Amino acid sequence: MTQAGKLRLGVNIDHVATIRNARGGAHPDPVRAARAAAAAGADGITAHLREDRRHIGDEDITRLTREIDLPLNLEMAATEEMLEIALRHRPHASCLVPEKREERTTEGGLDVAAEHRQLRPYISELKKAGIRVSLFIDPDPVQIAVAKALGAPVIELHTGAYCEAWNAGEKERAKAELARIAAAAEEGARQGLEVHAGHGLAFDTVGPVAALPQVMELNIGHFLIGEAIFSGLDSAIKRMRALMDEARAGAAGARIA
Ligand SMILES: CC(=O)[C@@H](O)[C@H](O)COP(=O)(O)O
Ligand SMILES: NCC(=O)COP(=O)(O)O
């Protein structure tokens, strides 16, 4: 089952803040990057306010909500502290993600099946505040079923295992992980959920995920910010956008033929 509307690109600006924080100054400014992403055609901005503030800080979130017109997707752990911040800023969306202080980046999806009791009040508080709630989960039917039961309108499928396999040259494993994502996207849409995807996506890996008709939004950050060092943020975003559109059109063509 496909869902109407174009495939949106959310640009995650976390790692602009990583570079800024390396020296503790104000440059490069993540809000300026968000503005540039908007000018380059991004449909939304994603920012992950981590408990340890290793990159995006509280002031970045304040400025993003005040200065950027694009919808803000605030990634956050399900904690009292983050809930208070989300309710104060009321971003367009909040994506609940797992966090471990010792991780270098998000290692897996939120285990909503194991944590559904703790998660339920956070989901209802965010929904009551009019914030679109998304759950960042592994492409797994049990996780999808529990996400649905928890009343989250959106799931974001973790594409990290697929991307990591592809980058390691393990084509068979990458294909298997991609098949999991495709099946999960289909199941999510069948259950009436809006399906997003993200983590680790790059020029080489975005196509097959963008081609999935049930996927309505891709959130991409680390690769784009890295690519921006060489070709500029505008060019990196525009190339990613073109690859997404090409893949989606190709898939549509394949379906029509
Ligand atoms: C949830 C996810 O996959 C990313 O958006 C997340 O922000 C990764 O964490 P870092 O940005 O700290 O790598
Ligand atoms: N939720 C995924 C995201 O926002 C960006 O992840 P990445 O592209 O920085 O790995």
Side-chain angles (χ1 to χ4, degrees):
M1 183 177 84
T2 60
Q3 297 168 340
K6 94 170 189 186
L7 174 59
R8 298 188 301 270
L9 170 60
V11 174
N12 183 313
I13 53 169
D14 292 351
H15 298 296
V16 178
T18 298
I19 298 170
R20 176 195 60 194
N21 294 1
R23 285 284 173 90
H27 182 270
D29 176 10
V31 176
R32 180 180 164 196
R35 210 169 285 123
D43 299 293
I45 296 298
T46 291
H48 184 182
L49 183 65
R50 280 179 171 266
E51 172 266 333
D52 62 11
R53 280 40 171 208
R54 64 180 70 173
H55 39 57
I56 293 290
D58 298 67
E59 185 52 21
D60 295 320
I61 299 300
T62 302
R63 289 185 56 218
L64 283 167
T65 45
R66 285 190 187 147
E67 298 176 31
I68 301 298
D69 295 337
L70 283 183
L72 174 65
N73 173 32
L74 171 63
E75 290 184 332
M76 55 182 262
T79 64
E80 283 303 317
E81 179 195 23
M82 289 302 154
L83 179 64
E84 187 280 324
I85 291 168
L87 296 180
R88 185 156 25 95
H89 290 296
R90 292 178 189 255
H92 164 72
S94 160
C95 181
L96 297 181
V97 302
E99 261 184 37
K100 288 196 293 285
R101 203 172 250 263
E102 63 279 8
E103 68 186 1
R104 240 188 341 181
T105 185
T106 304
E107 288 162 352
L110 189 64
D111 189 350
V112 295
E115 300 172 26
H116 63 91
R117 286 188 191 79
Q118 303 92 294
L119 291 170
R120 188 176 291 278
Y122 289 95
I123 294 167
S124 58
E125 282 297 306
L126 289 164
K127 283 173 75 175
K128 257 192 307 193
I131 299 169
R132 190 201 70 193
V133 178
S134 164
L135 300 178
F136 187 74
I137 60 172
D138 287 330
D140 174 286
V142 172
Q143 299 293 339
I144 294 168
V146 175
K148 173 73 177 177
L150 282 168
V154 181
I155 54 174
E156 181 168 331
L157 300 175
H158 193 320
T159 54
Y162 153 63
C163 295
E164 185 269 319
W166 177 271
N167 296 336
E170 296 176 36
K171 295 279 185 288
E172 287 314 306
R173 182 160 70 92
K175 272 168 66 178
E177 290 297 342
L178 187 59
R180 283 185 72 209
I181 294 166
E186 211 164 300
E187 178 58 17
R190 193 185 66 78
Q191 299 237 15
L193 297 167
E194 181 169 313
V195 180
H196 299 176
H199 196 93
L201 291 172
F203 290 157
D204 286 356
T205 49
V206 72
V209 181
L212 299 174
Q214 300 86 1
V215 174
M216 299 312 298
E217 181 174 303
L218 296 181
N219 286 296
I220 307 175
H222 183 266
F223 175 81
L224 285 174
I225 305 310
E227 197 58 25
I229 293 172
F230 305 106
S231 65
L233 187 57
D234 179 80
S235 151
I237 289 172
K238 284 178 176 164
R239 176 147 165 66
M240 189 64 81
R241 178 78 259 176
L243 289 167
M244 289 163 61
D245 293 344
E246 226 173 270
R248 189 51 71 99
R255 275 199 307 282
I256 295 160

